[in-house]
Amino acid sequence: MHPTDEIILSLDKINKSYDDRIVLHEISLDVKKGEVVVVIGPSGCGKSTLLRCINGLEPIQNGRIRLNDQTITDVGTDWTKVRQHIGMVFQSYDLFPHMTVIENILLGPIKAQKRSKKEVEAQAELLLERVGLLDRKTAYPRQLSGGQKQRVAIIRALCMNPDIMLFDEVTASLDPEMVREVLDVMLQLAKSGMTMIIVTHEMAFAKAVADRVLFMDNGYIVESGKPEEFFNAPQTQRAKKFLNQFKFSENREDEA
Amino acid sequence: MLDTGIKVLFEGNNITRLLDGLWVTTRIALISVILSVFFGTIIGIGWSSRFRIIHVFARFYLEIMRIMPILVLLFLFYFGLTRIAHINLNAEMASIIVFTLWGTAEMSDLVRGALTSLPKHQKESGLALGLKSFDIYFYILVPQAIRRLLPATINLTTRIIKSTSLVVLIGVVELLKVGQQIIETASLLRNQTAAFWVYAVIFLLYFIICYPISQLSFHLEKKWQS
Amino acid sequence: MTLFLSVSNQMDLINEGTILIGMDYLFFAKYAPLYYEGALLALNIAAISVILSIMVGLCCACIHYYKVPLLKPSVSIYIELSRNTPLLVQLFFLYFGLPKMGIRFESESCAIIALTFLGGSYMSEAFRSGLESIGKLQLESGLSIGLNKIQLMRYVVLPQAFAIALPAIGANIIFLIKETSMLSVVALEDPMFVAKDLIGMNSDTKEALLLLVVTYIVMILPLSLILTFIEKKVRHAGYGH
Ligand SMILES: Nc1ncnc2c1ncn2[C@@H]1O[C@H](COP(=O)(O)OP(=O)(O)O)[C@@H](O)[C@H]1O
Ligand SMILES: [Mg+2]
């Protein structure tokens, strides 16, 4: 499914700093409904911070963020409400350890969104089935593998029926053999038309899933373009250098 | 009312009497701590060894000491030894015995904990560096064990100091007893509020002694945590 | 004092039953009920103090956790005062010192206040370490599914913090029960008081002490065993990852 023209999320020159250190410089970005934006860049360049600002885990100093035509960076924004429209999955496993898989999934929809348990549970089961985890419904997080935990975390966010999903290096702390199962779920999700911003270091996956690639460095968006263009012919020196690192390691693996 | 009451502290040699009482308290605590560290370390090392019989014995001993209130132990030893076994023993000696027995139990548990929690790979990396096992013990394991032990041992010291206040109940003339004596004299002289001031001062004296020690333990623990 | 009288009335009767392996078995039958009542009194006061301590501790821990201005320093001062002074001195001050300034408490209130003053700070430390062990990521993932602050506390933080604090809470409960052994100084007739009275009459010290030890074993051992069990269980459940 191709992105529509309707803009769902819009960042307008946002600035973010910790103390005096500026970590995001005048970031502007429009995300269309159904679009998949992949953000790449060296570690420490501000990718996580960008996602965290979008769902209000970090306050910004300047600029404006709009979600569904509503400005969400005004003072007095009810972030609790806003976050119900934004799904987020973190790098480390962030399931609640004292709850089963299904309890983890139901908590937000039932307590925050006040939806009926029956309806949400049916939805949750459908999604669990789709990612092959229905039989783990009553397991505790400690009984799951890393890849399974991340799939549950994705479903937990999905069950809130968000308008947009944010993924922050969700495969970075997985054992290599589990990366694939999580990326497959995200790929499926992208195909189904979900609007997504994905931070990742998996270049092949980025190429396959992205409608648009953003390259960040040092708090700036340095480059932005279609995946084929970006990966085949990066415009800037910095992007070339960054991509070269991956080529190098790929070649090394070939040699070995 | 206020001024007549507080005056009692500065009458005669009351202050020095209180400090003498405090010294009795700290003396009991100090001797007990030193003995506890000594015996506790020995038992703790034995406990971390492979001998099952020591495990059973040490565990049993620790549990008894943990279940019985200190005051019960004091009664048990003081009245038990003097009245039942007819051993001539003054109350201060009985107190030192009890605090040492209790402190030894707690200390041995700390030592065991510190020794058994030392990671095995430390020993292996020491071997890999070509150190002899003696060197490994003295340059790698012991310093680490001490770092783990010292804060908790200091903490145990404050617990023993606080518990020494109990010895007044078996008749040792220490801080609280001296306080009571001062209050009695004062009330003969119609000083009504003496009790308030004397107990307030005793409260503060304990605080002044224990607070720096617990702070030391806290800071050492924080510093050596990583 | 009633105790003393009743004991002296029965004196001759006890002496007749004496001596079988040096123990006076009639003595046990006679005085076990006194210890039993003493134990009930002590447990009763301990129970009230434990409940109050948990409430005080939870409040203090939350004040600390949310860094409430003004209240946080007061809580710190309270905790340091409470942890660095002996219960016995606290009791003397409350029971003998304060009345001279016109503030008077009943024996039982005195005991409960002192035990709560002591226990509150210990419980606070237990809860605090529980709360602090809940990582930032847990809070953020709670927020990111749209929970508000209260829901976050109720469904994410407290259940985990409580499970982590449970062994420490249990240890504090045992600690408080043991500390009730000092209540006789405020004229409460706990097991210690009974023993003191019997020993004071200079007869049957052996039996009085034996009953005292048995009383405390019965009061504390079951709890101690339950605690060990819970501790093992919590550890094996392996909260976290
Ligand atoms: N809580 C924080 N306080 C101060 N500096 C921070 C904080 N979080 C992140 N930073 C800094 O902000 C920069 C961007 O971090 P981050 O967004 O995590 O980078 P990325 O996700 O791209 O690796 C880094 O230099 C990091 O050191
Ligand atoms: Mg990051």
Side-chain angles (χ1 to χ4, degrees):
Chain A
M1 191 171 138
H2 287 290
T4 60
D5 286 337
E6 182 191 344
I7 290 175
I8 252 188
L9 176 78
S10 156
L11 313 191
D12 187 15
K13 292 194 180 142
I14 65 166
N15 275 308
K16 163 78 195 166
S17 47
Y18 290 111
D19 303 320
D20 326 327
R21 247 190 86 225
I22 303 178
V23 280
L24 294 179
H25 296 266
E26 307 260 309
I27 300 283
S28 293
L29 169 69
D30 285 340
V31 182
K32 298 189 186 114
K33 191 170 161 73
E35 190 179 18
V36 176
V37 176
V38 169
V39 183
I40 62 175
S43 143
C45 70
K47 307 178 298 289
S48 300
T49 307
L50 178 65
L51 296 191
R52 293 162 58 79
C53 288
I54 293 174
N55 80 345
L57 292 174
E58 298 287 350
I60 60 171
Q61 274 72 40
N62 275 309
R64 204 164 61 141
I65 303 178
R66 292 168 67 79
L67 180 72
N68 287 328
D69 286 331
Q70 182 204 352
T71 304
I72 58 176
T73 42
D74 290 341
V75 264
T77 298
D78 182 0
W79 276 107
T80 311
K81 277 261 145 49
V82 173
R83 290 193 189 109
Q84 290 170 19
H85 297 279
I86 303 175
M88 176 133 182
V89 185
F90 297 85
Q91 170 177 344
S92 340
Y93 323 122
D94 59 328
L95 297 179
F96 306 123
H98 59 301
M99 296 180 177
T100 60
V101 166
I102 190 75
E103 285 166 350
N104 261 282
I105 298 174
L106 295 187
L107 184 63
I110 292 180
K111 299 300 174 193
Q113 294 181 321
K114 313 273 185 238
R115 284 154 61 192
S116 88
K117 182 174 174 197
K118 221 172 116 198
E119 177 227 328
V120 189
E121 195 162 0
Q123 183 189 5
E125 282 175 1
L126 197 74
L127 290 168
L128 281 173
E129 168 104 73
R130 217 176 275 168
V131 301
L133 286 175
L134 189 54
D135 57 328
R136 310 299 286 148
K137 193 177 134 183
T138 54
Y140 281 92
R142 62 175 177 275
Q143 300 164 318
L144 302 181
S145 72
Q148 290 174 328
K149 279 189 234 179
Q150 285 301 57
R151 282 182 279 161
V152 173
I154 293 173
I155 288 174
R156 185 175 69 181
L158 267 182
C159 269
M160 305 284 296
N161 295 325
D163 299 325
I164 183 167
M165 291 275 288
L166 313 176
F167 295 86
D168 189 3
E169 298 193 42
V170 292
T171 57
S173 38
L174 292 181
D175 291 335
E177 72 271 20
M178 291 171 186
V179 169
R180 187 59 197 262
E181 64 192 44
V182 175
L183 295 183
D184 279 344
V185 171
M186 290 164 68
L187 215 50
Q188 261 183 42
L189 200 56
K191 281 195 190 128
S192 74
M194 174 59 74
T195 315
M196 300 158 61
I197 302 182
I198 301 171
V199 173
T200 186
H201 280 301
E202 302 286 339
M203 292 305 149
F205 168 68
K207 227 183 275 187
V209 78
D211 292 314
R212 179 155 48 123
V213 176
L214 298 184
F215 173 67
M216 282 183 71
D217 194 16
N218 242 330
Y220 293 92
I221 294 183
V222 178
E223 225 173 290
S224 157
K226 292 213 172 312
E228 315 82 65
E229 292 164 11
F230 175 77
F231 285 108
N232 296 334
Q235 303 292 305
T236 59
Q237 207 51 41
R238 279 193 275 182
K240 272 181 202 152
K241 221 169 134 195
F242 178 74
L243 288 176
N244 253 334
Q245 291 171 345
F246 289 91
K247 291 227 179 76
F248 185 56
S249 60
E250 273 164 26
N251 290 344
R252 283 272 294 254
E253 270 165 32
D254 291 346
E255 279 163 28
Chain B
M1 186 168 103
L2 216 137
D3 47 346
T4 55
I6 200 166
K7 232 168 39 192
V8 68
L9 297 171
F10 309 105
E11 271 161 10
N13 54 355
N14 281 355
I15 288 276
T16 43
R17 282 174 69 200
L18 279 176
L19 291 179
D20 283 345
L22 184 63
W23 167 238
V24 175
T25 308
T26 35
R27 183 173 64 202
I28 295 175
L30 267 178
I31 297 174
S32 312
V33 167
I34 291 168
L35 293 176
S36 299
V37 169
F38 179 72
F39 292 119
T41 306
I42 294 175
I43 296 185
I45 290 173
W47 197 353
S48 64
S49 72
R50 284 161 312 206
F51 301 107
R52 272 216 75 76
I53 182 79
I54 301 181
H55 288 222
V56 176
F57 164 77
R59 172 57 55 197
F60 183 71
Y61 169 49
L62 181 67
E63 285 306 322
I64 300 250
M65 289 295 148
R66 291 230 166 121
I67 284 177
M68 280 301 132
I70 309 272
L71 189 54
V72 174
L73 292 174
L74 282 171
F75 265 56
L76 217 52
F77 275 82
Y78 183 57
F79 294 112
L81 289 178
T82 54
R83 295 268 183 84
I84 302 171
H86 299 293
I87 295 169
N88 200 358
L89 183 76
N90 69 24
E92 189 174 333
M93 274 307 293
S95 310
I96 290 174
I97 293 175
V98 166
F99 288 119
T100 303
L101 282 173
W102 174 60
T104 299
E106 294 288 346
M107 189 68 199
S108 67
D109 192 36
L110 294 176
V111 171
R112 180 197 57 90
L115 288 179
T116 49
S117 70
L118 286 178
K120 230 201 183 96
H121 70 84
Q122 292 277 354
K123 199 169 165 183
E124 282 156 10
S125 57
L127 284 172
L129 286 171
L131 295 176
K132 291 200 239 17
S133 13
F134 178 85
D135 293 338
I136 291 173
Y137 250 91
F138 277 82
Y139 295 113
I140 300 180
L141 295 186
V142 171
Q144 283 195 53
I146 287 177
R147 282 180 165 217
R148 273 166 212 224
L149 266 176
L150 201 56
T153 308
I154 295 173
N155 195 34
L156 178 63
T157 306
T158 62
R159 284 168 66 199
I160 290 183
I161 293 176
K162 282 188 288 176
S163 307
T164 51
S165 61
L166 289 173
V167 301
V168 67
L169 299 177
I170 58 168
V172 179
V173 182
E174 45 63 87
L175 185 55
L176 267 171
K177 188 72 202 171
V178 172
Q180 284 174 337
Q181 289 167 351
I182 291 176
I183 292 164
E184 263 165 42
T185 325
S187 67
L188 288 179
L189 301 172
R190 303 194 182 285
N191 182 340
Q192 293 304 323
T193 57
F196 175 84
W197 296 106
V198 170
Y199 288 132
V201 164
I202 293 177
F203 184 88
L204 275 181
L205 282 176
Y206 268 103
F207 182 76
I208 289 169
I209 293 198
C210 292
Y211 180 69
I213 305 180
S214 13
Q215 286 298 303
L216 177 66
S217 151
F218 177 73
H219 285 294
L220 286 182
E221 188 164 355
K222 242 177 146 179
K223 192 171 135 196
W224 286 339
Q225 215 164 35
S226 39
Chain C
M1 284 306 103
T2 50
L3 175 68
F4 185 81
L5 289 179
S6 69
V7 168
S8 49
N9 287 342
Q10 310 292 338
M11 209 55 155
D12 34 8
L13 205 153
I14 296 163
N15 286 339
E16 281 166 24
T18 314
I19 313 279
L20 182 65
I21 328 179
M23 284 279 182
D24 179 347
Y25 292 97
L26 253 184
F27 181 96
F28 292 148
K30 181 108 206 91
Y31 293 110
L34 288 179
Y35 280 93
Y36 173 72
E37 282 184 10
L40 282 190
L41 173 82
L43 287 176
N44 200 355
I45 287 181
I48 298 171
S49 310
V50 162
I51 292 168
L52 292 175
S53 297
I54 286 178
M55 289 176 359
V56 170
L58 203 52
C59 286
C60 291
C62 284
I63 286 171
H64 195 98
Y65 187 72
Y66 287 118
K67 304 195 169 60
V68 183
L70 289 177
L71 286 182
K72 194 184 165 205
S74 330
V75 163
S76 302
I77 292 173
Y78 154 61
I79 287 175
E80 294 303 343
L81 276 180
S82 153
R83 294 193 66 118
N84 288 302
T85 52
L87 177 65
L88 190 64
V89 177
Q90 294 164 12
L91 279 171
F92 269 62
F93 182 72
L94 278 177
Y95 194 67
F96 300 109
L98 279 185
K100 306 294 179 203
M101 300 307 257
I103 305 167
R104 213 169 296 274
F105 298 109
E106 297 291 308
S107 295
E108 296 200 3
S109 327
C110 228
I112 291 169
I113 293 171
L115 283 171
T116 305
F117 180 77
L118 183 75
S121 70
Y122 280 77
M123 290 296 181
S124 166
E125 299 293 281
F127 284 121
R128 210 178 70 170
S129 61
L131 286 175
E132 277 167 7
S133 66
I134 309 302
K136 196 170 157 221
L137 191 68
Q138 283 286 310
L139 304 181
E140 290 186 343
S141 45
L143 288 176
S144 71
I145 56 168
L147 299 180
N148 63 32
K149 280 224 170 90
I150 294 168
Q151 290 168 333
L152 189 66
M153 203 62 187
R154 161 84 179 73
Y155 299 108
V156 177
V157 178
L158 279 184
Q160 294 186 66
F162 195 75
I164 290 165
L166 206 55
I169 293 171
N172 289 345
I173 291 175
I174 290 180
F175 168 70
L176 284 175
I177 295 178
K178 281 165 69 178
E179 295 286 279
T180 61
S181 62
M182 285 167 224
L183 296 187
S184 57
V185 301
V186 294
L188 287 173
E189 303 187 3
D190 73 333
M192 213 59 224
F193 184 96
V194 175
K196 221 169 15 176
D197 227 25
L198 295 179
I199 293 169
M201 296 180 330
N202 221 348
S203 64
D204 306 305
T205 305
K206 207 178 343 183
E207 292 81 359
L209 287 176
L210 184 64
L211 274 177
L212 180 67
V213 169
V214 171
T215 305
Y216 275 101
I217 290 179
V218 171
M219 277 167 73
I220 294 167
L221 187 61
L223 260 173
S224 165
L225 292 177
I226 293 172
L227 179 65
T228 318
F229 176 75
I230 290 176
E231 220 168 301
K232 280 213 180 100
K233 214 168 158 171
V234 171
R235 207 177 320 136
H236 288 310
Y239 273 112
H241 308 284

